[in-house]
Amino acid sequence: MIKNYKVEIRNCPDWRAYSAATLGVSIESPNWKEEKFAAILDFAAKRFKLIRIDVTDALYRHNFMAAGVPEGEAFVGAAALGTLWLAKHQDIIDKCRVETQIVRWSEWLSHPDYERVIKLFKIAYENNPIFRKAVERDAMRFYLRQENKNIQTGWPHSVDFLIEEAAVISLQARELSSVRLYPGDELECLRLIRSGCVDTVPRWLCKETFAKVRFRLSKNEHSSSPRNPDLRLVINQ
């Protein structure tokens, strides 16, 4: 049965000041599939002039590598997930009445400034104990939700996942000042960067704001997104 969802934003009073929105699509999360994706896109189309759809497919290669898949195969597998997600949702995107930009994660990995920027985040992780603890707390939250809790196998890939995500999202914010719409809580390490507390990394996240999306059913039935719906980061599948 098709469900009609309504979207609402709470605790982000400044989101209306932006003319663009970024949808950080977690391709395996149910909150970014079918009716829920359509609801977020429709909400954004009514309020913003430009929507950037950030498909985080290549980022998932860290999950595959945590499960023992070689890096090259992991990259291919992650890209295949992104291709499948786009194939299932392209019709919804094509019907959007405002300009949309689809950007896949691998495009950011080939960005001319990517290597320089991620190096700064790696240095911050090594030398800034506040940032390092935030990254590790984010990783631990994901780890605790996994059935196979082999932390020794997955931990390095989890840290790499988070550092890469921070670097790429910072580049995204530099290139487009926008509201980042996301059906879940923001990572602690990203909140720390956005607040300007990590002074050795670029402060481009200050150019955007994070807005947590909540869903409710249109027929007076309320369905909030789970407290931690994003299972992108897997310590060991």
Side-chain angles (χ1 to χ4, degrees):
M1 182 179 69
I2 295 176
K3 294 182 179 180
N4 295 317
Y5 290 97
K6 299 295 184 182
V7 167
E8 57 185 25
I9 292 175
R10 295 181 181 175
N11 302 321
C12 183
D14 63 335
W15 69 269
R16 291 181 177 85
Y18 293 80
S19 61
T22 293
L23 311 187
V25 174
S26 301
I27 52 177
E28 291 194 314
S29 169
N31 284 329
W32 284 109
K33 292 182 179 178
E34 300 166 345
E35 293 98 337
K36 289 186 175 180
F37 169 70
I40 296 176
L41 188 62
D42 182 66
F43 174 89
K46 292 176 180 177
R47 294 161 178 84
F48 301 99
K49 297 178 180 178
L50 171 65
I51 302 170
R52 180 175 60 191
I53 301 172
D54 165 36
V55 183
T56 62
D57 48 355
L59 185 61
Y60 279 78
R61 75 190 187 282
H62 296 289
N63 294 359
F64 289 121
M65 288 189 288
V69 178
E71 183 174 5
E73 293 179 26
F75 201 105
V76 171
L81 288 178
T83 299
L84 180 61
W85 185 91
L86 282 167
K88 288 182 176 180
H89 297 86
Q90 190 64 56
D91 286 347
I92 298 173
I93 296 170
D94 289 342
K95 294 175 183 176
C96 185
R97 54 187 172 274
V98 301
E99 181 183 356
T100 59
Q101 296 177 353
I102 299 173
V103 186
R104 299 181 69 165
W105 197 261
S106 59
E107 295 181 44
W108 296 104
L109 301 183
S110 60
H111 190 284
D113 290 335
Y114 171 74
E115 292 298 336
R116 176 180 65 85
V117 172
I118 196 169
K119 182 177 180 180
L120 293 174
F121 280 94
K122 289 179 177 179
I123 292 172
Y125 177 77
E126 293 296 330
N127 298 329
N128 186 319
I130 297 175
F131 180 60
R132 181 168 62 251
K133 289 179 181 178
V135 169
E136 292 175 351
R137 282 193 291 267
D138 284 329
M140 186 60 68
R141 291 186 187 99
F142 287 106
Y143 160 73
L144 292 174
R145 293 201 296 274
Q146 306 311 306
E147 294 181 2
N148 184 357
K149 297 181 179 181
N150 189 342
I151 193 168
Q152 291 183 343
T153 301
W155 188 261
H157 298 290
S158 304
V159 170
D160 289 344
F161 182 110
L162 290 164
I163 292 174
E164 180 178 307
E165 185 170 25
V168 168
I169 288 180
S170 294
L171 282 169
Q172 291 176 352
R174 183 184 71 172
E175 298 204 359
L176 178 66
S177 178
S178 68
V179 178
R180 183 169 294 273
L181 299 177
Y182 193 79
D185 296 321
E186 185 174 31
L187 292 170
E188 181 180 344
C189 63
L190 294 181
R191 288 199 305 270
L192 192 67
I193 296 166
R194 197 182 302 280
S195 69
C197 293
V198 188
D199 57 7
T200 57
V201 301
R203 299 185 63 180
W204 301 322
L205 279 182
C206 297
K207 294 182 61 178
E208 69 168 30
T209 192
F210 178 88
K212 181 178 179 179
V213 167
R214 293 181 181 273
F215 297 105
R216 60 181 176 85
L217 291 172
S218 59
K219 294 183 178 180
N220 298 321
E221 297 181 62
H222 295 274
S223 176
S224 297
S225 58
R227 183 178 179 184
N228 292 299
D230 181 4
L231 299 180
R232 290 174 301 165
L233 178 57
V234 178
I235 299 297
N236 193 5
Q237 296 179 324

